[in-house]
């Protein structure tokens, strides 16, 4: 299991439901991607002055399947800040009740996503040097 001690608290936490499954009965990859995106946005918003939009998702690795009833937590931390962009690492953990009645903690997915700081009308906007410095970038 990857060390997530420098990620802080999970950005999102949600229980999976039968409506989120694909045709093989596991949780649909698109549902997991939306959770990843939400967690990434929450992390990026700490740096953004107004709002962010997603420009890219890269290196999405579905390491293990997610099952109905798993409690899915998304951890996210900002890796770097550019002129207008914010690069975020997201790690997804599933808490699963095993047959024996104890909880397993499984690292199921990881991703890197990039967000762009934009104005309310969607125009890209540079992130100030002061905000970068405040966050250690
Ligand atoms: C976000 C948007 C305003 C950026 O405008 P743009 O003219 O394409 O911007 P640029 O090409 O100058 O790139 C902006 C930043 O993103 C980065 N970027 C661009 N393409 C990228 C990619 N494929 N991967 C990672 N970063 C990327 C650039 O390096 C730049 O970073 P910097 O300013 O820190 O140097 C525009 O692309 C847009 O509106 N996209 C749609 C967003 C959207 O609807 N997302 C889905 C729902 S939230």
């Amino acid at each position: 299991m990857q060390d997530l001690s420098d990620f802080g608290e999970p950005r999102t936490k949600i229980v999976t439901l039968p409506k989120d499954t694909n045709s093989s009965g596991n949780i649909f990859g698109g549902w997991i991607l939306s959770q990843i995106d939400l967690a990434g946005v929450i992390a990026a918003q700490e740096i953004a002055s107004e709002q962010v939009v997603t420009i890219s998702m890269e290196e999405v690795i579905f390491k293990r399947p997610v099952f109905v009833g798993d409690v899915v937590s998304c951890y996210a931390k900002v890796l770097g800040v550019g002129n207008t962009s914010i690069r975020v690492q997201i790690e997804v953990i599933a808490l699963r009740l095993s047959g024996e009645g104890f909880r397993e903690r499984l690292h199921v997915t990881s991703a890197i996503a990039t967000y762009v700081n934009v104005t309310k009308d969607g125009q890209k906007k540079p992130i100030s040097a002061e905000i970068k410095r405040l966050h250690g970038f």
Side-chain angles (χ1 to χ4, degrees):
M1 168 74 73
Q2 186 180 345
D3 178 17
L4 296 176
S5 54
D6 59 340
F7 280 71
E9 292 296 307
R11 307 288 180 159
T12 65
K13 194 171 194 177
I14 187 167
V15 67
T16 55
L17 298 174
K19 70 178 176 59
D20 306 319
T21 55
N22 58 24
S23 54
S24 36
N26 298 336
I27 298 303
F28 176 49
W31 182 89
I32 299 171
L33 284 178
S34 72
Q35 298 303 314
I36 285 173
D37 198 23
L38 288 170
V41 164
I42 291 169
Q45 285 285 10
E46 288 180 353
I47 310 276
S49 50
E50 290 183 46
Q51 59 187 34
V52 295
V53 289
T54 314
I55 190 151
S56 116
M57 277 216 190
E58 56 186 288
E59 288 183 28
V60 181
I61 306 167
F62 296 102
K63 297 170 193 285
R64 286 169 172 264
V66 177
F67 300 143
V68 172
D70 287 355
V71 177
V72 171
S73 299
C74 294
Y75 293 79
K77 72 171 177 186
V78 174
L79 294 176
V81 182
N83 182 37
T84 64
S85 66
I86 303 160
R87 195 157 185 264
V88 181
Q89 177 182 354
I90 302 109
E91 303 294 341
V92 186
I93 303 295
L95 203 61
R96 180 169 303 157
L97 195 59
S98 75
E100 293 77 38
F102 62 86
R103 290 209 173 268
E104 290 179 287
R105 197 176 144 83
L106 303 163
H107 187 192
V108 291
T109 311
S110 62
I112 306 275
T114 302
Y115 300 88
V116 176
N117 185 43
V118 293
T119 59
K120 293 277 180 263
D121 58 354
Q123 301 303 307
K124 62 189 172 189
K125 182 177 173 184
I127 299 159
S128 76
E130 192 186 348
I131 288 182
K132 287 185 205 176
R133 202 171 43 248
L134 270 174
H135 291 272
F137 294 103

